Amino acid sequence: MASPTPQLWLLMFAVVGVQLVGGYSFHNCIAEPHSNRKSFSCKCRRDEHVSAIVNDLPRSVVNLTIIFNPLRRIPNNSFVHLPNLQNLRLDQNQLSDFDSLAFRNLHQLKYLNLSFNHFSELRASLFEDLHNLTDLSLANNKLKKFPEGIFFGVHNLNTLLLRNNCLINFSEIVKSVSHLKKLKTLDLCSNNLTSLHHSNVSLPQSLSMLFLCRNNLHTLGCKLSFLKFVNLLDLSNNLRLHTKAFQGVDLSSLRSLRLKSTKVKIAKFLNISNINAGSVDFSGTGLKTPSHIMELCKILKTRLKRIKHVRLHYNGIKNLTNVKLSHCPKITGFLDLSFNGLKSIECLHFLYNQAGITKFIVEHNHLSSLPYCKKQKMFPFKSLDELNYRYNRIQSVGAWAFIQTPNIRILKLNINTIALLHPKAFLGLKQLELLRLDNNLLTDLYQETFKENVNLKILHLRNNRISVIFKGTFCNLKNLNTLDLGGNKITHFQQSGLDGLKSLSKLYLDGNNLKQIDSSFYYAFQDTLTVLDLASNQIRFFKEKSISPFAKLRKLTDLKLNGQRNYGLTVLPHTLFRGLHSLNSLYLTHNNIVHLPPDAFDDLTGLRFLTLDNCCAGVTQLEPGIFKNLRNLTTLILENMGLQNFSKEVFGNLTQLRVLQMNRNVMQSIPVDALESLPKLNYLDLRNIPLSCTCQNKFLQNYTVNSPNVQVVYLYNLICQQDKRLKFHNFDTKVCYIDLGKYMFFSTAAAVFLFTLIPLLYVKLYWKIKYSYYVFRSWFSDHWSRLREKEENCKYDAFISYNFSDEEWVMNELLPNLEGNGSFFKLCLHHRDFELGRNIVDNIVSAVYSSRKTICVLSRNFLRSEWCSLEIQLASYRLFDEHRDVLLLVVLEPISERQLSSYHRMRKVMLKKTYLQWPGSDCSNPLQAQELFWNKLRRAMKAGSKLEREEDDENKDFET
Ligand SMILES: *[C@@H]1O[C@H](CO)[C@@H](O)[C@H](O)[C@H]1NC(C)=O
Ligand SMILES: *[C@@H]1O[C@H](CO)[C@@H](O)[C@H](O)[C@H]1NC(C)=O
Ligand SMILES: *[C@@H]1O[C@H](CO)[C@@H](O)[C@H](O)[C@H]1NC(C)=O
Ligand SMILES: *[C@@H]1O[C@H](CO)[C@@H](O)[C@H](O)[C@H]1NC(C)=O
């Protein structure tokens, strides 16, 4: 076979090249948009094989999340093709086994999460390659033990989470982590450890946080210096752990010790331990009554002048009336009384003499009110910065309730049941910056409510029952930056209800009952407002408006108008968004809009994010040019809009668009040129579209499969509308490419060509074919070899080919002159020497091949006889193709050029060879001429049959 030409190589290379570059879609994973193919998530797939999930991911992957999959086992080398992985989440699958080399080659991996799986053991070399691993979570599995040396390779490990397993042997754990010089956090909570007994090895000095909560520890049983370097030690919920266990144990570096729900008696413990008393977390240590607390204070005071934080969670403290914290050392940080049963904090008089506290926290108690406190004769707590009463049952807040804490910056009253907020409640709080009143039952706010909070920056009033914003409510909040009024029942603002908010930047009014957008309010914020959330109100337009209510909001970047309740916006005035040149994101989802005006978005030249998910009523038509000015748009969500079709012009100028979500629409096809007009597109969601698998979509199929930069989300799961068993990505498009016109053209061309060729071939090759046929036939019947043999010893000197009409000349002139008359040539004449009963063609072939020469006696009659022609053909074949000069031409009568012209082959022979002209009897000296003729003929017959140069020269003599 001939080797391929360069062009062919080029073609083959191009084909392979196309396949290598190929498409950019994945079977089971989604590349996070904007992550530049570095973050992938593969959630809730049905595949049990991790290879099926990760095989088609590119090398560039850095973050990979594989969760909620029915994976059971991770085989060897599963991730070798992803050497750049840094974060790998494999949690919440059903893994129970890893092959030893499952994580081979992940040298860059930093974070590995294997929690919430089912494995009970691990193989020793599993983490061998993870030299750069810093965070490993094995939490929530069924580990009983792990092999020694399992963490041998992971010497950069910083955090190891083993919470919620079935580990029993602490000694083994210590052994396997003792060499981890960078280990900081070790979480062993919720296992079944009974003691901290360990052999000779110790914990790494770097280990600062050790969590041992919810085990079965009853004693520590460790070396006395074992915990010498630990900062945070969590021993909570070891129900059997008693005070004596700490006897002599060095706890001097501890900054925090949790002893909740143990048998440890605090007073006794402080007596026997060298711990810094300020480091103990007194939560859940049974300090229930005032006397317990005061006793603790006394002990603390003997050891410390001041203490930073005091935490007293879960002590069942109900009543602080008789508690005097003045006996305690000075508290300089926070006092946290969360998770107790306090009903009242009684104007903080139990804090008497503790003026240094900065933060007071009483979450999750039963506080029912914050009383009027002006009468109390107490020094104010000037250092107090934050008050936190979240998660209580506070119903009322009295006047001057915070008078003793005039300097607080942060006040959290959210998640209570405050219905009665005295208008004077917040008086005096001039430093307040953050006020959380969300999730209460407030109905009214008054002009006085925030009168003195001039420094307030953030005010949360979400999820109350406010229905009207009265005139002047916020008039002094000139520093307010964020006002969250979402989730109320606001129907309207009184005249100048929003006045005074000179710095307002973010205004949340979502989830109220506003019926219209009253432009007069927003004028006030024209230079400051950046975020306006009007989602889920009852705004509805009935007709076009001539001016935009937002026109003056020059700095607005985020506008939400989604989900107007009951009816939706209905009409989208084409002027609604006029002037919003700074807008970054716009939400219009769920709005029953009847018609999207093609110029609605014309002014949004800065828009980056637009979602129209389910924005419209029924079937939507996107008109050409609707997005024409959105040159900065990067994300466009057109989900569930009832789109049936759209043209290329719709996406005209979206040159920055990267993410396009069109799922859940009703179009059967998508014009590929529309997609191709989005040069930066890299994330295309076409799920749940009834794409038809017909020729109409052949280019779309090709685009989705081969486009090198566009990820089509779960492309290989898209099904054909007609037949749910067929997949869109590989439906058969071959038939589409057979164009009937082309088909007709080529078949007609072929027919014309053949009809032209056949006569030509007939004329040109008739004899060759015929001859070949005979040769073939005789070759088959074994004649051929015999003929060749005969030729070698040549039975005859010449075969005479002549026409019957020239027989007289042959018999009377030729025969006597060649066979007699001194010459002894042996001639083959057909009437004399042909075998009887043999096929005449065989006879001719045999005669030609068993004679050294073939003498053709040319006459006009000869030319007309077919058999004579066959003889000429055979001889000339030997002349031209076998290069044997066997043919001698004798021209008996003059033949004109015209007569010769129809015997093409004969003419060719005569041009190639010289021939002998029989002089006849007409010339002047016939006898002499005839004698010369015979001499020439005899000489010619004697000459060899090989065509050679000298022979050619010699042949010149024959010319007449
Ligand atoms: C990978 O995830 C981390 C943490 O979730 C994130 O900070 C980082 O930006 C992500 N990297 C890439 C390339 O997306
Ligand atoms: C850890 O990662 C850094 C780059 O992040 C790399 O240079 C280094 O070789 C890795 N270390 C090991 C032990 O592979
Ligand atoms: C904890 O270990 C003890 C033996 O040390 C065993 O009896 C008990 O069943 C284990 N508990 C759990 C929850 O595995
Ligand atoms: C707290 O205790 C005092 C006296 O011990 C009592 O008068 C008061 O009613 C108690 N307060 C509450 C809220 O139970």
Side-chain angles (χ1 to χ4, degrees), residues 194-207:
T194 50
S195 87
L196 303 187
H197 180 76
H198 57 95
S199 52
N200 266 336
V201 287
S202 56
L203 292 170
Q205 292 190 10
S206 56
L207 188 73

Side-chain angles (χ1 to χ4, degrees), residues 362-423:
V362 190
E363 293 184 4
H364 295 276
N365 275 277
H366 305 321
L367 303 182
S368 59
S369 67
L370 298 175
Y372 172 72
C373 288
K374 205 174 182 187
K375 274 190 194 151
Q376 307 287 326
K377 293 223 168 68
M378 271 184 69
F379 298 107
F381 299 97
K382 285 200 174 153
S383 308
L384 207 66
D385 184 65
E386 177 178 342
L387 269 183
N388 183 346
Y389 298 136
R390 297 191 306 170
Y391 296 98
N392 278 284
R393 301 166 187 176
I394 302 170
Q395 288 168 5
S396 63
V397 181
W400 302 100
F402 306 97
I403 185 142
Q404 285 118 32
T405 56
N407 293 331
I408 50 171
R409 287 187 309 114
I410 300 170
L411 177 57
K412 295 182 182 168
L413 295 172
N414 47 320
I415 318 182
N416 277 289
T417 51
I418 302 172
L420 300 170
L421 178 66
H422 195 281

Side-chain angles (χ1 to χ4, degrees), residues 13 29 36 65 74 131 155 265 274 367 378 492 601 612 627 631 702 784 865 891 905:
F13 188 76
C29 299
N36 201 12
T65 300
I74 306 283
H131 314 298
H155 32 71
K265 297 275 173 291
N274 69 344
L367 303 182
M378 271 184 69
H492 65 286
F601 307 123
L612 296 171
F627 305 128
R631 290 197 171 77
N702 182 41
W784 190 250
S865 146
V891 180
R905 196 162 172 102

Side-chain angles (χ1 to χ4, degrees), residues 446-620:
Y446 304 98
Q447 209 168 353
E448 221 179 350
T449 308
F450 307 111
K451 190 174 145 195
E452 297 195 340
N453 312 126
V454 289
N455 276 311
L456 201 61
K457 293 202 168 73
I458 302 171
L459 175 57
H460 288 278
L461 287 162
R462 177 172 291 268
N463 296 339
N464 280 284
R465 295 179 178 183
I466 301 162
S467 55
V468 182
I469 299 293
F470 294 115
K471 180 177 153 191
T473 306
F474 307 114
C475 64
N476 288 335
L477 302 182
K478 60 175 189 296
N479 288 309
L480 199 71
N481 175 299
T482 304
L483 176 58
D484 185 355
L485 283 166
N488 280 286
K489 297 179 184 304
I490 300 170
T491 52
H492 65 286
F493 303 90
Q494 282 192 351
Q495 193 72 41
S496 63
L498 292 172
D499 277 10
L501 298 169
K502 293 211 163 52
S503 311
L504 197 67
S505 162
K506 297 175 184 168
L507 177 56
Y508 299 93
L509 288 167
D510 51 302
N512 281 289
N513 295 332
L514 295 172
K515 288 206 159 48
Q516 55 195 5
I517 302 173
D518 191 336
S519 49
S520 61
F521 293 109
Y522 310 119
Y523 280 177
F525 317 130
Q526 51 178 289
D527 291 322
T528 57
L529 205 64
T530 60
V531 176
L532 178 58
D533 190 345
L534 289 168
S536 305
N537 277 283
Q538 296 175 18
I539 299 164
R540 187 179 185 191
F541 296 106
F542 293 94
K543 54 182 190 327
E544 285 286 341
K545 295 191 97 162
S546 53
I547 54 154
S548 160
F550 310 120
K552 297 270 168 73
L553 300 176
R554 281 182 277 138
K555 300 229 166 127
L556 201 66
T557 59
D558 291 73
L559 178 59
K560 293 193 179 181
L561 280 168
N562 44 306
Q564 298 306 320
R565 263 174 290 130
N566 298 355
Y567 306 104
L569 284 177
T570 316
V571 172
L572 184 70
H574 72 114
T575 55
L576 190 63
F577 307 120
R578 284 288 175 272
L580 297 178
H581 292 284
S582 305
L583 205 66
N584 250 311
S585 53
L586 176 60
Y587 294 77
L588 278 175
T589 64
H590 298 89
N591 264 323
N592 263 316
I593 296 169
V594 177
H595 170 63
L596 284 175
D599 58 348
F601 307 123
D602 279 7
D603 276 5
L604 308 180
T605 47
L607 204 66
R608 288 162 184 277
F609 175 94
L610 174 60
T611 172
L612 296 171
D613 179 7
N614 197 10
C615 69
C616 297
V619 170
T620 314

Side-chain angles (χ1 to χ4, degrees), residues 319 321-322 343 346:
N319 193 330
T321 310
N322 295 323
K343 293 211 169 81
E346 299 168 15

